Amino acid sequence: MEKFERTIYNADHEAFRSSFRAWLDNKVVPHHEEWETAGITPREIWLEAGKLGFLGYHVPEEYGGGGVDDYHFGAIMQEEVSDAGVIGSANGMTLHNDIVLPYYLGLANEDQKKRWLPGMVKGELIGALAITEPNTGSDVAGVKTSGVKKGGAWVINGSKTFITNGINSDLVITTVRTDPDAGHKGFSLFILERGMKGFERGRNLNKLGMHAQDTAELSFTDVEVPQENMLGEEGMGFVYLMRNLAQERLGMAVGGVKVAEAALRWTLEYTNNRKAFGQSISQFQNSKFTLAEMATEIQIAQVYVDRCIELHCEGKLSAEQSAAAKFWVTELQNRVVDKCLQLHGGYGYMWEYPIARAWADSRIQTIYGGTTEIMKEIVGRSLTK
Ligand SMILES: Cc1cc2nc3c(=O)[nH]c(=O)nc-3n(C[C@H](O)[C@H](O)[C@H](O)COP(=O)(O)OP(=O)(O)OC[C@H]3O[C@@H](n4cnc5c(N)ncnc54)[C@H](O)[C@@H]3O)c2cc1C
């Protein structure tokens, strides 16, 4: 079946895709296994990504960035990382670019931009976003990490968990309750910096998939954070989080389609070559039907996601549209990788086959960035009275 031609990317985008993919193939893919075993990517690869312009494509040139405020570039990076099967190694960079940096670009004052953006573009300062706590994830309003004003600083106490780039990060955007009586209006965002007294890293968590991604616990004991490290206005943290979630969720859908597409590609290759009962596995009616269903659904997902990317680039993608994209596509991704693994038989369960890793890496997609259930709540709320 022919694929629909994709029309959302121009020649500049495609040139960027080629150079980013070549870098992934040469510098990341060959080390992926080693980093997966180590449970972390080395900081050197961040520095190299920075040098080549893969970090901060949207950061203004005066701070050393690419100066191109165009999410197409972020989407391309997400697509290539997903297609190359190296999500564990490169997920931290797409998070740094498209989840963390938008907070700085939208909220940081001039001093903060000068202080942090050049290092973030060079890969010298690695970013993270810490919302989730041991006792609260979906229910963001349940955040307990507290900030109490003391002179010109805030004293922060609490803990976070499941934080992507948790070990490597130098700058952590941290959600803090600064007014216990103000409900949703009682949150503020602070930048916690590596080395601040009382800011400790906990375990690098042992996950089902994405092993090269450091996902860690963080703890804060009487950390004195100067007022200059508050991002945006006091009490506006919740609003800022909600504003940035649309792009975060779209990115997961963008990657989800590409993982599904790659899984289908590997499976077609495998089932066309593997023989049973005197014929290729792909020739059984069940295989053909399963492959046909997957190819069709992936195509439908791609068209929807492309439209979402276009709308997002025009500043028109709604929270509900991105939530719908996130839950539908990531659920599809999980269905596809599971069916593809089944079509590989026992080899699909072997780590040396990319489908095994894709299956493990994909499982988180319907959970982080807001679970499928929370996404359906968001969409459902907009439909009902
Ligand atoms: C690998 C990984 C990386 C992550 N990276 C980050 C990060 O960088 N920064 C960060 O802040 N967080 C991060 N997270 C945390 C992630 O966003 C949360 O795990 C997620 O939001 C779910 O929260 P929870 O784990 O507390 O689950 P819970 O909220 O406890 O949910 C448990 C179950 O209950 C369901 N549920 C909850 N509320 C409702 C409801 N109202 N209606 C119906 N069902 C409901 C959920 O859908 C889920 O099925 C990461 C998690 C992982 C595993």
Side-chain angles (χ1 to χ4, degrees), residues 237-364:
F238 198 80
V239 174
Y240 298 147
L241 291 181
M242 296 304 124
R243 203 186 279 170
N244 281 287
L245 279 171
Q247 177 161 305
E248 173 172 351
R249 290 171 179 158
L250 174 59
M252 290 165 185
V254 169
V257 189
K258 287 297 161 195
V259 170
E261 197 178 70
L264 177 62
R265 190 173 69 236
W266 303 326
T267 305
L268 282 168
E269 204 180 306
Y270 182 83
T271 55
N272 279 331
N273 288 314
R274 173 88 175 165
K275 302 272 188 299
F277 300 94
Q279 59 178 336
S280 302
I281 299 281
S282 62
Q283 292 309 307
F284 296 120
Q285 190 189 49
N286 174 67
S287 305
K288 274 189 280 195
F289 281 14
T290 306
L291 293 163
E293 283 164 13
M294 293 192 293
T296 306
E297 283 189 277
I298 291 167
Q299 182 67 86
I300 292 167
Q302 187 68 78
V303 171
Y304 182 78
V305 166
D306 281 357
R307 184 73 191 118
C308 287
I309 294 173
E310 282 179 322
L311 280 176
H312 183 56
C313 290
E314 292 163 18
K316 293 182 192 154
L317 185 72
S318 72
E320 291 80 15
Q321 286 166 325
S322 90
K326 202 260 175 189
F327 91 71
W328 195 79
V329 175
T330 59
E331 291 288 340
L332 170 68
Q333 173 187 354
N334 274 291
R335 280 199 304 281
V336 166
V337 292
D338 193 65
K339 286 179 186 172
C340 286
L341 190 151
Q342 183 72 16
L343 284 170
H344 278 73
Y347 290 100
Y349 198 66
M350 297 299 128
W351 212 239
E352 65 208 76
Y353 279 76
I355 192 62
R357 198 185 301 276
W359 187 86
D361 287 349
S362 293
R363 191 61 190 84
I364 187 56

Side-chain angles (χ1 to χ4, degrees), residues 91 95 99 128-140 160-166 173 175 207 209-210 213-215 248 364 366-374 377 381:
N91 180 55
L95 174 123
I99 296 180
L129 173 64
I131 307 170
T132 307
E133 301 187 351
N135 291 316
T136 191
S138 303
D139 185 9
V140 175
K160 300 284 177 183
T161 193
F162 303 151
I163 306 308
T164 302
N165 292 340
I173 303 172
T175 47
K207 303 185 295 296
M210 294 205 302
Q213 173 64 70
D214 50 316
T215 307
E248 173 172 351
I364 187 56
T366 59
I367 297 172
Y368 65 8
T371 64
T372 289
E373 294 73 27
I374 296 297
E377 270 292 323
R381 222 179 286 149

